[in-house]
Amino acid sequence: MAKTDKTFVIKRNDLQSLFDVLIERGYAPVGPTVRDGAIVYDELRSVQDLPEGWTEDQDAGTYRLKQHDDTALFGFNNGPHSWKKYLFPPRSKLWEGEKTENGSFTVKDAEDTAKPFAFIGVRACDLHAIQVQDKVFMNEKHPDPAYVGRRNAALVIVVNCGQAAKTCFCTSMNTGPRAESGYDLALTEILDGDDHYFVAEPGSKDGFSLLAEIPHMEAGNNNIAAADSCTKRAEEQMGRNIDISDIKDLLYGNYDNERWQELEKRCLACGNCTMACPTCFCSKVEDVTDLTGDHAERWREWDSCFTMDFSYIHGGSVRPTTRSRYRQWLVHKLATWHDQFGMSGCVGCGRCITWCPVGIDLTEEVRLIRNSVKNKEVANA
């Protein structure tokens, strides 16, 4: 990070003013907090709601919350939640209708009564995940009005990573650990002895406007160096990696790889990976009526390509086996997503690894598929 006129310092004791300004402007501040043995995203009112001194131990199929040996407010990586639950809610009403006295039916779109969100503590990988979902829901030809409304109103405050979990592989996906653009305000948390502060970089007019109301000072070269060292440390701690150099050709050429059969022996088809994934967008629509038939509603809910019903058409499910459903998810995430949206559907956050109850690791599965191809080539040479 080079020293510029856009780099500032916010002291830890002045961070509460950020919350005060956001609330005064009508935003609902949302960020990390400790609840139910995990660091989750929820509405916040003050700095005291942040997970001060808490971190987590993550690995395949493992998540444990533990106390940190410092007072960092953002000394963790990712919990089970992602920001998509606010922009693309797990369950939302699309419209409702009423039967009138003359027998006709009036329909009106559901109103979104949520306040504009201010996302606090967005990691670089999750910022990329939001941008991935933008491609899906803000498509020019078929925009989703509910998503577009929430996304355009949202304020994004990034906190760059100063550490990496064992399941992180954002460097492989070129999505972190430092955010480069697409945010309103980016913060890097620095703890240097008794000195606790944030290096702040506004990324938009809203970010500059927000910073103007928060006590701050110009960053010095030592502050810039500390921020650089912070994200460098996260890069060096990266717990996983994946070779995506030829990922499309690799997966397209291995639909019948024996690895899919091995995966079927372990995968529970529970859909945890798709629920935790910050980019998965599968959903279903359900129409409901009251007992009289005078009132009807249409609801959208998250769904998963791991369920048998998701690919059901007349005559049965298109993907009746667990291996075919896992293959659909992995190939779509890493390969066919490029054809649809011009980018990968994976951002390297590692949630699918952590929250898989049997610890399936997609980075390992890709490596094993790649090795099986190499072994065949050697055997046929």
Side-chain angles (χ1 to χ4, degrees), residues 109-121:
D109 291 336
E111 294 183 17
D112 189 353
T113 58
K115 289 183 178 180
F117 296 112
F119 298 145
I120 301 173

Side-chain angles (χ1 to χ4, degrees), residues 161-182:
C161 289
Q163 65 182 49
K166 296 176 184 177
T167 50
C168 291
F169 57 101
C170 65
T171 51
S172 294
M173 307 307 297
N174 300 313
T175 59
R178 173 183 167 78
E180 301 295 341
S181 62

Side-chain angles (χ1 to χ4, degrees), residues 10 49 88 102 115 169-170 172 219 241 283 290 352 365:
I10 301 173
D49 294 329
F88 171 46
N102 62 11
K115 289 183 178 180
F169 57 101
C170 65
S172 294
N241 65 79
S283 64
D290 63 5
C352 61
E365 296 308 323

Side-chain angles (χ1 to χ4, degrees), residues 11-31:
K11 291 293 188 179
R12 158 65 176 83
N13 292 337
D14 291 323
L15 196 64
Q16 179 58 44
S17 60
L18 171 64
F19 287 81
D20 296 339
V21 172
L22 291 172
I23 293 171
E24 183 180 342
R25 291 188 177 190
Y27 287 101
V30 174

Side-chain angles (χ1 to χ4, degrees), residues 1-8 218-225 228:
M1 183 195 308
K3 179 172 171 51
T4 71
D5 57 357
K6 297 181 180 180
T7 312
F8 307 93
E218 185 178 344
N221 289 329
N222 60 319
N223 305 129
I224 304 298
D228 287 339

Side-chain angles (χ1 to χ4, degrees), residues 35-317:
R35 191 179 70 233
D36 300 330
I39 295 175
V40 300
Y41 294 140
D42 206 344
E43 189 164 346
L44 310 175
R45 300 299 297 179
S46 70
V47 172
Q48 281 66 44
D49 294 329
L50 294 170
E52 181 175 356
W54 287 97
T55 189
E56 76 278 87
D57 184 18
Q58 299 190 51
D59 210 333
T62 302
Y63 180 98
R64 294 290 184 274
L65 199 60
K66 62 181 183 182
Q67 291 267 200
H68 212 280
D69 57 1
D70 58 34
T71 58
L73 299 175
F74 299 93
F76 61 94
N77 290 100
N78 284 314
H81 289 174
S82 69
W83 306 98
K84 77 176 183 182
K85 77 169 190 168
Y86 295 99
L87 298 174
F88 171 46
R91 178 174 167 82
S92 57
K93 186 193 295 184
L94 301 180
W95 57 255
E96 59 183 340
E98 296 285 346
K99 190 176 183 179
T100 62
E101 293 182 359
N102 62 11
S104 62
F105 205 72
T106 61
V107 177
K108 64 177 181 179
D109 291 336
E111 294 183 17
D112 189 353
T113 58
K115 289 183 178 180
F117 296 112
F119 298 145
I120 301 173
V122 178
R123 299 303 190 182
C125 61
D126 277 353
L127 177 60
H128 278 269
I130 292 173
Q131 292 165 349
V132 168
Q133 290 219 317
D134 287 350
K135 286 270 191 176
V136 178
F137 293 112
M138 300 179 78
N139 182 285
E140 290 183 3
K141 293 183 178 179
H142 306 287
D144 181 286
Y147 181 94
V148 171
R150 289 190 170 205
R151 178 69 170 101
N152 287 338
L155 195 73
V156 177
I157 301 173
V158 164
V159 174
N160 291 315
C161 289
Q163 65 182 49
K166 296 176 184 177
T167 50
C168 291
F169 57 101
C170 65
T171 51
S172 294
M173 307 307 297
N174 300 313
T175 59
R178 173 183 167 78
E180 301 295 341
S181 62
Y183 53 79
D184 293 294
L185 184 66
L187 306 175
T188 305
E189 186 172 21
I190 305 297
L191 285 88
D192 183 11
D194 294 331
D195 199 8
H196 190 172
Y197 62 91
F198 294 85
V199 176
E201 300 168 81
S204 71
K205 290 181 179 180
D206 287 336
F208 275 102
S209 173
L210 186 63
L211 190 65
E213 298 188 49
I214 303 170
H216 65 279
M217 64 188 74
E218 185 178 344
N221 289 329
N222 60 319
N223 305 129
I224 304 298
D228 287 339
S229 296
C230 183
T231 50
K232 182 67 174 177
R233 181 170 63 247
E235 290 179 12
E236 294 171 348
Q237 293 178 357
M238 208 59 50
R240 296 288 203 280
N241 65 79
I242 183 173
D243 179 5
I244 59 169
S245 58
D246 60 345
I247 195 70
K248 279 178 57 176
D249 292 339
L250 175 70
L251 295 178
Y252 286 172
N254 281 276
Y255 281 110
D256 296 320
N257 193 286
E258 61 186 15
R259 190 62 205 166
W260 306 121
Q261 282 78 15
E262 292 301 313
L263 271 167
E264 188 171 43
K265 298 175 183 178
R266 298 174 61 200
C267 181
L268 305 176
C270 65
N272 261 23
C273 52
T274 61
M275 298 296 106
C277 177
T279 67
C280 279
F281 60 89
C282 291
S283 64
K284 62 182 178 181
V285 173
E286 182 181 30
D287 292 335
V288 296
T289 63
D290 63 5
L291 292 177
T292 66
D294 292 336
H295 181 82
E297 297 176 351
R298 174 166 289 179
W299 289 79
R300 180 173 66 185
E301 299 178 354
W302 286 0
D303 202 351
S304 171
C305 56
F306 278 87
T307 65
M308 182 76 80
D309 288 344
F310 187 77
S311 66
Y312 183 89
I313 59 174
H314 175 69
S317 177

